[in-house]
Amino acid sequence: MALLPILEYPDERLRIVARPVEIFDAALHRQIADMFETMYAAPGIGLAATQVDYHRQLIVIDVSEEKDRPLVLINPNIVEKEGSQTCQEGCLSVPTVFADVERAERVVVEFLDREGKAQRIDASGLLAVCIQHELDHLAGKVFVDYLSPLKRQLVKRKLDKRRRQQAA
Ligand code: NI
């Protein structure tokens, strides 16, 4: 297994729209294992393939306290949405930045598991937020896109400054 480099906003590669996974082979399983390792090490509760410059519809999630409930969503599709909730979100591609985003309170998502078998989850609360956030990544969207242009400028400046400090 290996830690994968995570793309940082405003990297243009975060805008690439992911294509469906078609082949369920050892290479895919290695990619999934590497993404889990990268997510747990960060640490984070979700990681979309887009964020590690792999442009297929693949997401790994674990919102459990004990980090023992790994969830793999392949070619996911939200088929039902209900209610609304506002949660303070962060993102491994937008380090040190947190902001409120409004999302559906409950989503039903259909997807394939790592063996290519069709699955369905009815999620609410944090898991629902996480699923919606990660699905956005596969569509080339980042959570700061929901902020005002002014706030987005502040985010870019903060990240520029952080990168300069790290380089120094
Ligand atoms: Ni994210």
Side-chain angles (χ1 to χ4, degrees):
M1 295 209 293
L3 287 179
L4 306 168
I6 298 175
L7 300 179
E8 282 191 15
Y9 179 81
D11 194 307
E12 279 304 311
R13 288 169 291 179
L14 289 169
R15 300 303 176 186
I16 299 171
V17 177
R19 287 173 296 142
V21 170
E22 282 156 5
I23 301 165
F24 295 78
D25 60 0
L28 179 73
H29 290 170
R30 201 156 48 238
Q31 178 70 21
I32 292 168
D34 288 348
M35 282 175 59
F36 270 118
E37 192 183 0
T38 303
M39 179 189 79
Y40 286 129
I45 59 170
L47 185 68
T50 309
Q51 294 177 271
V52 291
D53 205 21
Y54 182 85
H55 301 285
R56 293 285 180 173
Q57 294 173 18
L58 164 63
I59 289 167
V60 299
I61 289 177
D62 190 342
V63 297
S64 72
E65 211 52 57
E66 307 293 327
K67 300 292 161 214
D68 57 358
R69 300 284 306 273
L71 180 62
V72 179
L73 306 184
I74 295 169
N75 303 350
N77 190 21
I78 292 176
V79 294
E80 249 182 270
K81 274 189 179 190
E82 193 181 75
S84 77
Q85 61 177 325
T86 301
C87 194
Q88 193 178 61
E89 295 187 19
C91 178
L92 296 177
S93 293
V94 196
T96 74
V97 174
F98 299 89
D100 282 348
V101 178
E102 192 184 338
R103 307 269 188 191
E105 156 58 27
R106 178 181 157 253
V107 296
V108 177
V109 58
E110 290 180 348
F111 59 98
L112 303 177
D113 65 19
R114 62 177 88 209
E115 309 304 333
K117 198 166 153 252
Q119 306 282 355
R120 186 182 169 98
I121 287 182
D122 190 328
S124 56
L126 179 61
L127 180 57
V129 168
C130 192
I131 287 172
Q132 291 171 84
H133 176 118
E134 302 309 334
L135 255 89
D136 272 355
H137 277 303
L138 299 184
K141 221 164 158 183
V142 182
F143 83 105
V144 291
D145 296 348
Y146 294 106
L147 305 181
S148 69
L150 178 66
K151 276 192 186 157
R152 245 188 339 265
Q153 273 312 315
L154 291 174
V155 167
K156 277 184 190 154
R157 247 179 274 156
K158 188 177 180 184
L159 293 177
D160 273 346
K161 192 177 164 196
R162 186 174 176 270
R163 273 189 286 269
R164 279 198 306 274
Q165 282 170 346
Q166 281 181 338

